[in-house]
Amino acid sequence: MKRTLLSLAVLAVLAGCSGDDGEQGATGPQGPQGDTGSAGTPGQDASLGVSMGVVGRALLNPEDPEGAAEIVQYHVATQTVFAINSAADVPTVEMIDISGLTADELSNPLSDTNLTSSALLLETEANSITLGSPNSIAVAGDWMAVAVAADAHADNGVVLFYNGLDAGTPAYVKAVTVGNLPDMVTFTPDGSKVLVANEGEPADDYSVDPEGSIAVIDIIDDMPADTATIIDFSAYNGMQATLEAQGMHFPNPSGRTINGNLIDISVAQDLEPEYITATNEVAFVALQENNGLAIVDLTDNSVEVVGLGFKDWSGLMIDGMEDGGVSFGTYENLYGMYQPDTIASYSWNGANFIVTANEGDAREYFFDTLDADGNQDEALCEAAGGQDFDEDDGCLSYTDETQARRLDYAAGSALETAAGDDPRDFDFSAFPIGRLNVTSELGDSDNDGIYENIYAYGARSFTIWDTNGLVVFDSGDDFERITASVHGDEFNNNDDENEGDSRSANKGPEPEALTIGMVGDRTYAFIGLERMGGIFVYDITNPYNTQFVDYVINRDTTEGADLAGDLAPEGMVFIAAENSPTGNALVVVGNEISGTVTLWQVTEN
């Protein structure tokens, strides 16, 4: 390299000379040879990333596993994994002792288990509120916080606080009332605050639509405050058009009458906080259905709402068909709403970056319209202002979800060719993305009934953002292309049945769970696919030079075979090597459908 640079430099000097060439001088004598230099230090191989293998696994509620393992957390001092169990007769937190775990991988991780749990029964009433199911759990020091929704839709939920984790005997201390439907709870890194995302979803018939909010509970003198500070979004009421221009999404039935109620939904009601990641000074909150992010300054509890915009699929591969196989195509005028579920954050060069698993989510609510015999009645549904009727689910009050073929496009446009109209016998070759699930609320820019663009749910990727809301990295079409290479026609599987290509028209692999951690001196993102069940690993040390590292899965995807392995990763947590019983880093995964908690060991290559 030095010779090349030197030659280029000499050429540059010569090229700059404009005078006449002089006569060539005589060649001088060769100089003496220099001393031999000392040997250089041996080089080191560049890191090839990490390897992962299953070293621990617990099966919760074997008779009824679905919902038995969702959100997971880890307590360092006692080396205990905690998992929310919503499938038990009484909602519980499962406590899994992993202190005896070794680095040996399970011989048959699809079925073997080497871990057991004990149950901590949760309170069923607190602060005069009858409680429903727990949604989230967080651990910091000697404290555990559990977010629990109220049983009655209109009531606010609570955070239950338990102390005594260090002694291995968690004891209930108090409940703090927060907002409606607390969906996620977390501590700030220093343990000084507890943050809660209150989703505030509407009732099925929109008779009640609470405001979404964020709760902040201060920890003072190692004791949670008795009351929470509630941060709402009322300051954004009347600003829907402005937020939509920033790339946000507000699907709701405002202006319609449902069950005798005229629906008029404010921005504060429509925003639904889903997930939180935080530093000690700032919290980043995913507004999933709205395709946005709320940024909370924890020094004064002020909040800013930022739209995430849309992913342009042109130039990228996507399978929007469900024709039983791998059928990639590239399409113009097709966009994805990021709509992240799990989010995390980390720093690089002193700057904060947010990492999102771009699941996507539509709104769909059914309510009962029963006749005298207790059967769902279509005529009653129509009289109640229902949007549609289903014999099994009842009366559809609202959804923005439809299939691309059911929208109208300009004659001769690329979308008319790709999405089609609605033929009796659907022809995938003529209309390859006709059955793609899209929103009916976006794409018709002039409201003339003709769609210029279509917007699908989620981005089938993970994204790194800066705090300005700008995309630093997006994994593009990696998830589908890689899983198609690995699984063939069994890719885009569902989480409750082995039927390949059954999710291609509906968010594909559906990335949902996410965690971040350091292995050696590198920072990695681990992204769980809710439908396929696999986990992607990326080196995100430098967000501007992100690299794919690995893809692993602990599931039998054989077409038609009985379900085996881990299904539907819902929550993930990273355990650093210095805090792990095996001496190596671990990724703990709560798998919602299989009811398993799985521990993947992560080692440097």
Side-chain angles (χ1 to χ4, degrees):
M1 180 63 75
K2 289 183 178 178
R3 286 183 185 171
T4 303
L5 291 174
L6 179 59
S7 299
L8 290 173
V10 172
L11 287 171
V13 172
L14 292 177
C17 297
S18 58
D20 296 335
D21 292 341
E23 295 182 3
Q24 182 174 345
T27 302
Q30 182 175 341
Q33 181 173 338
D35 295 334
T36 301
S38 58
T41 304
Q44 294 182 338
D45 291 336
S47 171
L48 297 177
V50 295
S51 297
M52 297 179 68
V54 176
V55 295
R57 196 162 177 267
L59 173 60
L60 311 180
N61 279 44
E63 299 301 319
D64 184 20
E66 184 172 345
E70 297 186 31
I71 306 304
V72 290
Q73 285 288 288
Y74 181 63
H75 185 242
V76 174
T78 59
Q79 295 186 326
T80 301
V81 170
F82 295 91
I84 289 289
N85 184 346
S86 299
D89 293 336
V90 177
T92 65
V93 170
E94 300 290 336
M95 301 182 292
I96 305 169
D97 181 2
I98 67 168
S99 60
L101 193 68
T102 71
D104 297 332
E105 294 187 16
L106 297 183
S107 58
N108 185 3
L110 288 178
S111 60
D112 287 355
T113 58
N114 60 345
L115 299 170
T116 58
S117 67
S118 59
L120 172 68
L121 301 183
L122 297 176
E123 307 302 306
T124 57
E125 184 175 345
N127 298 354
S128 300
I129 300 169
T130 301
L131 301 180
S133 298
N135 292 319
S136 181
I137 184 173
V139 169
D142 203 25
W143 286 98
M144 177 172 69
V146 184
V148 186
D151 186 58
H153 196 103
D155 290 346
N156 288 333
V158 303
V159 172
L160 303 174
F161 283 96
Y162 295 80
N163 193 243
L165 273 63
D166 291 343
T169 54
Y172 173 66
V173 175
K174 67 163 61 173
V176 178
T177 302
V178 289
N180 188 273
L181 188 56
D183 198 42
M184 193 272 179
V185 62
T186 188
F187 286 84
T188 53
D190 63 4
S192 66
K193 297 177 186 294
V194 172
L195 311 175
V196 189
N198 303 303
E199 193 165 9
E201 287 185 347
D204 291 336
D205 64 353
Y206 278 86
S207 56
V208 176
D209 189 1
E211 292 187 357
S213 64
I214 302 157
V216 180
I217 304 169
D218 291 317
I219 307 296
I220 303 170
D221 296 330
D222 198 34
M223 179 61 65
D226 292 334
T227 58
T229 299
I230 303 298
I231 302 169
D232 64 29
F233 299 99
S234 58
Y236 286 90
N237 286 340
M239 296 180 62
Q240 179 170 323
T242 300
L243 295 173
E244 286 175 333
Q246 296 176 8
M248 292 189 70
H249 183 42
F250 290 89
N252 63 64
S254 281
R256 284 179 46 207
T257 298
I258 302 175
N259 237 4
N261 299 311
L262 178 62
I263 309 301
D264 183 16
I265 297 171
S266 67
V267 169
Q269 288 174 298
D270 201 277
L271 295 180
E272 297 181 357
E274 181 81 19
Y275 208 96
I276 303 176
T277 182
T279 70
N280 294 325
E281 295 81 26
V282 62
F284 305 99
V285 185
L287 306 171
Q288 183 177 23
E289 289 85 353
N290 304 103
N291 195 42
L293 192 70
I295 304 175
V296 181
D297 184 339
L298 295 175
T299 64
D300 60 9
N301 290 337
S302 59
V303 62
E304 176 186 7
V305 175
V306 177
L308 295 179
F310 308 102
K311 177 175 179 172
D312 188 346
W313 276 103
S314 60
L316 295 171
M317 305 293 287
I318 185 172
D319 187 343
M321 306 185 226
E322 290 176 6
D323 59 349
V326 178
S327 303
F328 284 118
T330 58
Y331 306 98
E332 301 295 326
N333 306 106
L334 172 60
Y335 296 88
M337 301 175 284
Y338 291 97
Q339 295 183 310
D341 188 325
T342 307
I343 64 174
S345 57
Y346 74 114
S347 63
W348 175 75
N349 275 0
N352 291 322
F353 293 84
I354 304 114
V355 186
T356 63
N358 304 317
E359 179 194 23
D361 198 12
R363 285 178 172 159
E364 184 179 68
Y365 300 105
F366 287 89
F367 65 100
D368 290 331
T369 48
L370 304 178
D371 61 19
D373 296 323
N375 299 315
Q376 298 287 355
D377 188 289
E378 185 171 5
L380 291 176
C381 174
E382 184 178 350
Q387 184 174 326
D388 203 350
F389 178 78
D390 184 274
E391 290 183 359
D392 296 323
D393 296 320
C395 191
L396 176 67
S397 62
Y398 174 76
T399 186
D400 65 313
E401 184 176 8
T402 189
Q403 292 184 351
R405 60 184 175 144
R406 294 185 177 131
L407 302 177
D408 291 328
Y409 309 101
S413 69
L415 280 177
E416 186 188 46
T417 302
D421 46 18
D422 194 356
R424 182 179 298 275
D425 295 316
F426 193 76
D427 183 359
F428 279 113
S429 63
F431 310 112
I433 54 172
R435 284 188 174 155
L436 182 68
N437 284 5
V438 299
T439 178
S440 60
E441 298 285 349
L442 296 173
D444 178 7
S445 60
D446 53 5
N447 295 315
D448 65 350
I450 303 297
Y451 286 75
E452 299 83 23
N453 302 294
I454 53 176
Y455 292 81
Y457 298 97
R460 307 189 185 201
S461 65
F462 90 101
T463 306
I464 303 176
W465 312 78
D466 67 15
T467 54
N468 302 306
L470 299 177
V471 173
V472 173
F473 170 83
D474 184 82
S475 60
D477 51 14
D478 283 6
F479 290 178
E480 277 195 296
R481 288 193 303 104
I482 292 171
T483 54
S485 296
V486 173
H487 302 289
D489 291 348
E490 295 170 1
F491 93 130
N492 281 354
N493 222 316
N494 211 335
D495 54 15
D496 58 2
E497 183 182 12
N498 280 328
E499 182 184 356
D501 195 41
S502 58
R503 295 292 299 182
S504 290
N506 189 7
K507 298 181 282 188
E510 207 161 324
E512 175 167 6
L514 169 73
T515 192
I516 289 174
M518 289 193 68
V519 182
D521 61 355
R522 311 295 295 175
T523 302
Y524 294 91
F526 304 86
I527 307 101
L529 308 182
E530 180 179 10
R531 301 297 171 172
M532 278 302 305
I535 298 171
F536 274 91
V537 186
Y538 281 76
D539 185 333
I540 62 169
T541 307
N542 178 345
Y544 291 94
N545 188 29
T546 294
Q547 301 290 329
F548 167 70
V549 172
D550 203 1
Y551 169 72
V552 296
I553 189 169
N554 186 43
R555 173 189 177 177
D556 181 358
T557 62
T558 304
E559 182 81 18
D562 291 337
L563 294 172
D566 297 321
L567 308 169
E570 177 78 12
M572 302 171 72
V573 65
F574 181 85
I575 301 175
E578 60 269 24
N579 298 324
S580 165
T582 71
N584 296 309
L586 300 170
V587 172
V588 185
V589 185
N591 300 289
E592 181 180 9
I593 298 298
S594 57
T596 51
V597 174
T598 305
L599 280 69
W600 291 83
Q601 185 168 247
V602 188
T603 55
E604 288 184 277
N605 289 341

